[in-house]
Amino acid sequence: MKYAIIAAGEGSRLASEGVEKPKPLVCINGEPLIDRLIRMFMDNRAEEIIVICNDHTTLVRLHLEQVQRDGLNGRQVPLRLVVKSTPSSMHSMFEISRFLKDTPFCLTTVDTIFREQEFAEYISNLETMMKTGSADGLMAVTDYIDDEKPLYISTDADLRITGFHDTQNGCTLISGGIYGLSPKSIQTLERCMERKESRMRNFQRALIADGMNLAACKFSKILDIDHKEDIEKAEDFLKEDTRKTKDFLKKQKCCAIYRARRFSPNSVDRDDAIMDAVCRELVPYYEIERLHEEELEEASSAILADATLLLLTMARSKDVLQKLKKAEDSGKAVVVNNPSSLLQMTRSGIDAVMRHNNIPCAPLYGKDGWWIKRSDETAQDKNDVVFAADDAEKERIIEDFRKRGISDLVTTAHVAGDLVKFYGVAGAGFFHTSYPTDGGFSKFGDERQNGTAHHTPFDKERLQTDAERLAMLTGIEIYGGDCIVAPSGEYSIIDFNDWPSFAVCRNEAAKAIARYILQKNKEK
């Protein structure tokens, strides 16, 4: 997702009321407006952030150049800066529109204040709509009216926008100044400029006139910083939101259950690190207790009886999953990942789900060898996932499994091509892919069977769609997996599992997991 910020205004009303800083650098609870937006955009998978500022507010330009050079809060920012004075916000959008023609984008003005969690949900919905083609745009709206000249919005019963109006005429919603649009909206913008129109509200009317399918996403409250008194109002709003969230959740306990060592072969530190990272994100909201799966195996289910509202678990043993299921069934606890799903969705169960729902997966027959994998439990050593070069070796390996008392197996044909690992959080919009042979970590070295990746192009959005659908079908909310990309560009998902280490994208994943957990717990 690309993001754009219009920060080219004069801020003349603020200056006339004694505010010395230019508007983009005005601080709300100690954070400049422009930095707040950039931080939130980075938290929501920003590919690029385009900012336009005017050419005579030197402090703003210098500040943004520093962000370009040094990053923000220790993070490098993919920031593109355009410096030009314009007569209106629509003209500012036109100046940066050449960078927005190739992908969906979210654009806002620099002084828009809203709740971060609502924005994350908005972006997730926008990404889904853009991928599925169910809308050409998603516009933020609110029924909180505190604007001098609000733009009223009429919608149908499905919150599809039917018009933009200067007068209320029975409308209860107004524009929030956050625009999520497909690239074809730029054509409408260009026609507006040819007609010598101005103002963003006229551009929005033109979108409807051009037949664009626009949906509305309701925010509880959106504020603009136009006057000095608005600064205090915005600070109180955000402080109250933070206080309410903390008051709701701080009374609750979160029990973080770390994976047993036997289920983290050669990866204990990595698995522990992602749980540590998620806990750090949740510390402001929960009283966190840490347990290891081995402790729960040795204890009765009474250890969970005082029941923390949230049980955050990487556990994989059937005994512990049964105890967690009992806690969840009591109705007193939310458990992530869902223990009922993990108990049902063994490797063979997941394989059956993929085949039944036409999700691309490894073929059952082939000519390049076989993979035999235990399904009663997840792999605990290199003998639990074994490659067989031919039929005779396959039968010998299956017999070896049986001698070990393992009869629940998944046997599939080897697929030649690039091995790609993927990581996601169901419904949260977070999805990451990587090539383990590009110097990545390997548990057992099985990646060598496919050789060094050739980086064959493939449809990553379709892979994300398939992975999200599989997460929904299996109930595995925090997931990872492997797929093979054939020379043709077609892919086959060969593994799907709960809560990987996310080692190559840990910080970003931890933020996405924490957002998902906070929202799920609020909905309980």
Side-chain angles (χ1 to χ4, degrees):
M1 179 71 66
K2 284 190 177 183
Y3 292 87
I5 303 172
I6 295 174
E10 302 285 341
S12 55
R13 284 174 291 187
L14 286 172
S16 68
E17 295 171 4
V19 177
E20 296 181 356
K21 290 183 178 179
K23 184 185 283 190
L25 300 183
V26 168
C27 288
I28 302 297
N29 294 330
E31 184 176 34
L33 288 169
I34 189 74
D35 288 4
R36 182 175 188 268
L37 287 176
I38 291 173
R39 173 179 59 77
M40 282 191 285
F41 294 166
M42 291 296 293
D43 287 344
N44 287 278
R45 303 168 293 285
E47 300 171 17
E48 185 177 40
I49 301 172
I50 303 102
V51 181
I52 180 169
C53 66
N54 63 54
D55 56 12
H56 53 266
T57 310
T58 306
L59 288 176
V60 175
R61 175 180 60 80
L62 291 175
H63 178 79
L64 290 169
E65 287 175 348
Q66 183 179 7
V67 172
Q68 274 186 316
R69 183 178 64 252
D70 302 332
L72 182 67
N73 302 326
R75 303 165 72 181
Q76 286 301 306
V77 177
L79 177 64
R80 184 189 295 271
L81 177 59
V82 175
V83 181
K84 186 171 183 177
S85 295
T86 62
S88 75
S89 292
M90 194 177 87
H91 286 79
S92 294
M93 182 180 177
F94 178 73
E95 289 299 327
I96 60 177
S97 63
R98 63 186 183 275
F99 305 117
L100 303 173
K101 293 182 177 182
D102 58 345
T103 186
F105 61 89
C106 173
L107 176 143
T108 185
T109 52
V110 74
D111 62 340
T112 307
I113 302 295
F114 43 83
R115 289 188 167 102
E116 295 187 37
Q117 182 59 39
E118 290 182 335
F119 182 73
E121 294 165 16
Y122 163 80
I123 290 297
S124 179
N125 290 334
L126 173 61
E127 289 173 332
T128 299
M129 286 183 168
M130 292 294 108
K131 286 173 184 174
T132 60
S134 60
D136 299 313
L138 185 64
M139 316 296 264
V141 301
T142 181
D143 58 9
Y144 175 80
I145 302 175
D146 188 37
D147 197 299
E148 295 173 345
K149 295 180 180 179
L151 177 63
Y152 294 95
I153 293 178
S154 56
T155 66
D156 63 17
D158 296 322
L159 280 182
R160 298 287 166 161
I161 296 175
T162 58
F164 296 92
H165 316 280
D166 289 328
T167 57
Q168 190 163 8
N169 290 330
C171 298
T172 59
L173 300 173
I174 65 170
S175 172
I178 306 171
Y179 317 97
L181 294 166
S182 69
K184 70 178 184 179
S185 63
I186 302 302
Q187 298 172 18
T188 295
L189 177 64
E190 291 170 345
R191 287 191 286 270
C192 287
M193 296 298 293
E194 290 170 1
R195 295 192 294 265
K196 300 187 183 304
E197 295 177 354
S198 63
R199 304 189 73 190
M200 287 296 288
R201 60 184 57 198
N202 291 324
F203 164 61
Q204 292 175 80
R205 291 187 179 108
L207 292 172
I208 296 294
D210 285 354
M212 296 275 279
N213 180 2
L214 302 180
C217 180
K218 188 176 178 181
F219 283 59
S220 58
K221 187 184 288 188
I222 299 176
L223 306 176
D224 290 332
I225 307 298
D226 293 322
H227 297 282
K228 185 176 182 179
E229 65 182 21
D230 294 334
I231 298 173
E232 183 177 355
K233 194 180 298 182
E235 289 185 332
D236 289 343
F237 164 56
L238 295 179
K239 285 178 181 177
E240 180 183 2
D241 183 48
T242 300
R243 187 164 52 249
K244 282 182 178 179
T245 301
K246 289 184 177 181
D247 286 347
F248 175 77
L249 294 172
K250 192 65 179 180
K251 299 172 185 175
Q252 324 295 339
K253 288 171 62 180
C254 167
C255 183
I257 302 169
Y258 289 70
R259 184 169 291 153
R261 290 179 174 271
R262 69 179 185 279
F263 295 121
S264 292
N266 303 322
S267 195
V268 172
D269 291 344
R270 291 171 176 82
D271 284 351
D272 286 355
I274 182 60
M275 182 63 88
D276 288 342
V278 174
C279 288
R280 283 195 295 272
E281 295 293 328
L282 295 177
V283 160
Y285 310 104
Y286 290 93
E287 177 186 343
I288 295 178
E289 177 185 7
R290 290 171 168 83
L291 289 174
H292 283 82
E293 185 173 0
E294 292 93 340
E295 295 178 72
L296 287 175
E297 287 180 308
E298 297 170 0
S300 72
S301 56
I303 195 171
L304 301 172
D306 90 3
T308 52
L309 181 67
L310 176 67
L311 295 167
L312 192 58
T313 174
M314 297 179 77
R316 284 179 170 170
S317 79
K318 291 179 181 178
D319 175 67
V320 173
L321 291 174
Q322 290 285 2
K323 291 172 181 174
L324 292 169
K325 183 178 182 300
K326 185 176 180 180
E328 185 174 55
D329 289 345
S330 72
K332 297 179 180 178
V334 170
V335 187
V336 180
N337 273 318
N338 183 290
S340 298
S341 297
L342 296 178
L343 284 165
Q344 295 175 19
M345 288 299 151
T346 61
R347 195 188 295 271
S348 55
I350 293 170
D351 185 76
V353 167
M354 287 195 290
R355 297 186 192 283
H356 181 73
N357 291 277
N358 298 314
I359 294 175
C361 55
L364 295 174
Y365 303 98
K367 299 180 180 179
D368 297 317
W370 307 89
W371 286 98
I372 303 97
K373 306 173 183 179
R374 77 179 297 177
S375 178
D376 61 325
E377 289 187 334
T378 56
Q380 297 170 46
D381 61 47
K382 64 181 180 180
N383 295 316
D384 288 341
V385 177
V386 187
F387 176 75
D390 52 38
D391 289 352
E393 189 175 7
K394 179 184 74 169
E395 293 305 318
R396 180 185 61 76
I397 291 169
I398 290 174
E399 181 59 28
D400 288 343
F401 273 108
R402 287 177 180 150
K403 290 178 180 178
R404 294 166 56 198
I406 302 170
S407 58
D408 186 1
L409 302 172
V410 171
T411 302
T412 55
H414 176 70
V415 182
D418 292 348
L419 175 63
V420 176
K421 288 188 173 293
F422 58 86
Y423 310 86
V425 181
F430 172 77
F431 192 76
H432 183 92
T433 60
S434 68
Y435 294 87
T437 57
D438 290 357
F441 168 73
S442 173
K443 285 186 180 181
F444 305 127
D446 292 333
E447 294 85 357
R448 290 192 296 269
Q449 201 64 47
N450 283 79
T452 302
H454 293 87
H455 297 265
T456 301
F458 69 100
D459 191 337
K460 292 183 181 179
E461 289 189 358
R462 186 162 68 91
L463 174 61
Q464 181 176 357
T465 299
D466 283 333
E468 287 285 294
R469 189 156 68 97
L470 186 53
M472 179 190 68
L473 290 167
T474 60
I476 298 175
E477 306 143 289
I478 301 170
Y479 65 85
D482 300 340
C483 75
I484 302 295
V485 179
S488 65
E490 293 299 310
Y491 59 80
S492 302
I493 295 176
I494 62 169
D495 197 16
F496 189 82
N497 50 67
D498 67 291
W499 209 316
S501 68
F502 293 96
V504 296
C505 52
R506 183 181 300 133
N507 291 336
E508 186 180 3
K511 292 179 183 297
I513 294 168
R515 287 198 304 269
Y516 173 80
I517 289 166
L518 289 170
Q519 183 59 33
K520 181 166 183 172
N521 205 11
K522 280 186 178 181
E523 292 172 352
K524 181 179 179 291

